[in-house]
């Protein structure tokens, strides 16, 4: 296994040994998610081999469960007894809530007031206390920090945490278990926990793997921070990719992403919606906006063809927790007359 100097610079936050340990710790609780080839994205669009890593099939419908679980399994008994708390737009909330239920730990979740109803209900369904506070994730985060000080509950950060990053990094190991000769990986980015863990796992194996992060034009704090060379807030408007609606990235994840992510692609709201539609029609996959970001980047043509044509690429479908009303809206506004190829699976 080759480990280059760039990866070594980020090892204080998350390293390959942390990720391997996380894989062992969470293996009895998580689902090894499918990795399937999309013939549509491969043959029709890129001229390469494009695979979809289906974390929308994970328990709770999102990759976030991995990181939350790994973090909580590392807590002391005293911390577990006092309870856990987080701020989340929905997917991390569900991961925390399910872990709390499985391990018998009281969980509290602070969610933005505009968090999707489906994610609110699912989080409550797993047994967590849900408090709606603030217009944005950052507002919710500040209130979470205040409440944690008042109650003594342990904060399980949705992304800016070593154990959380390591938990998400187990996805990278699963990809390598199936495709060792990977050339390019495309990952949705919000606060940065997912891409930090995945990039660490992949580049520890092969530093030449090209890692692309994708964010919405409306909210792309991580991309803007890397561009500016310092942590920078960026928020224009809400995005359909609500799971990645993080205006200010984490301090730890910024350091990792700045060194290990090769480039960032920004996509529009229409491009995200179009990707959700194509994933439904062509690959028979229901995904939320955040999960469609890598496909949106491919379909938009914004990725240099040299990273896709005649290459082996994995696009990560990070989650599938989407309101049915949103799915209906996408179908109503974007559905076009089907051609004879639309019924082909893949």
């Amino acid at each position: 296994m080759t480990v280059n100097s760039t990866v070594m610079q980020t090892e204080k936050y998350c390293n390959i040994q942390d990720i391997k340990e996380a894989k062992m710790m969470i293996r009895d609780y998580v689902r090894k998610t499918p990795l399937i080839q999309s013939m549509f994205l491969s043959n029709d669009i890129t001229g390469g081999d494009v695979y979809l890593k289906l974390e929308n099939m994970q328990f709770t419908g999102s990759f976030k469960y991995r990181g939350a679980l790994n973090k909580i399994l590392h807590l002391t008994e005293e911390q577990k007894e006092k309870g856990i708390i987080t701020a989340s737009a929905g997917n991390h909330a569900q991961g925390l809530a399910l872990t709390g239920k499985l391990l018998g730990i009281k969980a509290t979740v602070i969610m933005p007031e505009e968090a999707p109803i489906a994610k609110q209900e699912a989080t409550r369904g797993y047994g967590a206390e849900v408090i709606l506070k603030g217009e944005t994730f950052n507002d919710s985060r500040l209130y979470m920090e205040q409440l944690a000080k008042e109650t003594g509950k342990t904060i399980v950060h949705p992304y800016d945490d070593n154990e959380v990053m390591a938990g998400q990094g187990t996805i990278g190991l699963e990809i390598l278990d199936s495709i060792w000769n990977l050339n390019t990986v495309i990952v949705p980015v919000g606060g940065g926990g997912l891409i930090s863990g995945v990039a660490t796992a992949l580049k520890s194996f092969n530093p030449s793997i090209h890692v692309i992060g994708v964010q919405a034009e409306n909210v792309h704090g991580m991309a803007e921070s890397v561009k500016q060379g310092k942590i920078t807030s960026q928020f224009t408007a809400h995005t359909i990719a609500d799971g990645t609606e993080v205006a200010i990235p984490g301090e730890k994840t910024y350091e990792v992403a700045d060194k290990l992510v090769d480039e960032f692609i920004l996509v529009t709201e229409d491009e995200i919606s179009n990707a959700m539609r194509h994933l439904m029609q062509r690959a028979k996959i229901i995904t939320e906006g955040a999960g469609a970001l890598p496909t949106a980047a491919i379909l938009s043509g914004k990725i240099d063809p040299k990273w896709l044509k005649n290459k082996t690429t994995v696009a990560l479908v990070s989650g599938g927790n989407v309101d049915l009303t949103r799915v209906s809206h996408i179908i109503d506004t974007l559905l076009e007359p089907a051609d004879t190829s639309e019924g082909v699976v893949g």
Side-chain angles (χ1 to χ4, degrees):
M1 179 174 292
T2 302
V3 181
N4 69 359
S5 59
T6 303
V7 175
M8 292 176 65
Q9 292 177 42
T10 64
E11 286 190 340
K12 62 181 178 180
Y13 301 117
C14 177
N15 59 56
I16 191 62
Q17 290 306 128
D18 295 331
I19 298 171
K20 288 180 177 180
E21 178 190 276
K23 183 180 180 180
M24 295 296 293
M25 290 193 73
I26 70 176
R27 63 180 179 178
D28 292 335
Y29 299 91
V30 301
R31 175 180 292 149
K32 185 174 182 179
T33 53
L35 183 67
I36 65 169
Q37 185 171 14
S38 169
M39 302 310 296
F40 164 61
L41 293 175
S42 299
N43 298 334
D44 297 356
I45 303 299
T46 65
D49 293 320
V50 178
Y51 294 82
L52 301 173
K53 178 62 170 171
L54 303 182
E55 280 296 295
N56 60 315
M57 301 296 292
Q58 186 56 260
F59 294 119
T60 74
S62 167
F63 76 94
K64 286 283 192 178
Y65 173 55
R66 296 175 184 259
L69 176 62
N70 189 51
K71 173 64 177 181
I72 294 167
L73 287 172
H74 278 83
L75 298 182
T76 66
E77 292 304 314
E78 181 181 359
Q79 289 173 316
K80 294 176 183 177
E81 181 66 27
K82 289 184 178 180
I84 50 181
I85 188 170
T86 196
S88 170
N91 286 334
H92 177 68
Q94 293 174 68
L96 180 95
L98 177 57
T99 301
K101 182 176 182 178
L102 292 174
L103 302 180
I105 303 170
K106 185 176 180 181
T108 301
V109 178
I110 315 301
M111 303 180 81
E113 293 165 2
E114 296 298 321
I117 298 298
K119 293 182 180 181
Q120 294 181 39
E121 292 178 347
T123 303
R124 291 190 180 96
Y126 289 124
E129 176 189 12
V130 174
I131 300 173
L132 300 179
K133 186 72 173 180
E135 180 181 353
T136 67
F137 167 77
N138 196 50
D139 296 331
S140 300
R141 179 185 62 81
L142 293 174
Y143 184 70
M144 171 201 68
E145 293 173 351
Q146 174 189 330
L147 204 58
K149 290 180 181 179
E150 295 173 357
T151 63
K153 295 178 184 294
T154 296
I155 293 174
V156 180
H157 201 284
Y159 49 84
D160 205 29
D161 181 275
N162 294 7
E163 280 84 25
V164 170
M165 283 187 273
Q168 321 304 24
T170 61
I171 297 170
L173 297 184
E174 285 188 13
I175 292 172
L176 291 172
D177 285 343
S178 299
I179 305 176
W180 65 269
N181 58 337
L182 178 67
N183 300 118
T184 304
V185 64
I186 313 172
V187 184
V189 181
L194 175 61
I195 200 165
S196 295
V198 170
T200 298
L202 296 181
K203 285 187 177 285
S204 293
F205 174 77
N206 180 0
S208 68
I209 293 174
H210 193 72
V211 178
I212 301 173
V214 188
Q215 293 195 282
E217 286 188 357
N218 283 2
V219 188
H220 53 270
M222 180 66 82
E224 187 66 20
S225 296
V226 171
K227 179 181 178 181
Q228 299 295 334
K230 61 181 181 180
I231 293 179
T232 305
S233 176
Q234 194 288 322
F235 180 94
T236 303
H238 291 296
T239 172
I240 191 173
D242 55 86
T244 59
E245 194 170 288
V246 181
I248 304 173
E251 294 181 6
K252 296 176 181 179
T253 57
Y254 163 73
E255 292 291 337
V256 178
D258 184 48
K259 292 180 174 62
L260 300 187
V261 179
D262 295 292
E263 64 173 312
F264 286 91
I265 301 293
L266 304 182
V267 291
T268 67
E269 296 303 291
D270 284 347
E271 288 167 342
I272 300 169
S273 296
N274 185 52
M276 293 173 71
R277 175 175 71 87
H278 275 86
L279 285 168
M280 283 188 280
Q281 287 183 311
R282 302 303 299 270
K284 315 310 176 191
I285 293 169
I286 302 296
T287 178
E288 59 191 275
L293 286 172
T295 301
I298 293 172
L299 294 175
S300 71
K302 295 177 179 177
I303 299 176
D304 191 320
K306 71 180 181 181
W307 302 118
L308 302 173
K309 188 173 182 179
N310 299 320
K311 304 288 186 180
T312 300
T313 298
V314 170
L316 209 158
V317 181
S318 58
N321 296 316
V322 59
D323 282 339
L324 293 180
T325 53
R326 180 163 288 175
V327 174
S328 177
H329 175 72
I330 289 171
I331 292 173
D332 290 342
T333 57
L334 294 178
L335 187 59
E336 300 171 353
D339 59 34
T340 56
S341 66
E342 287 291 358
V344 177
V345 175

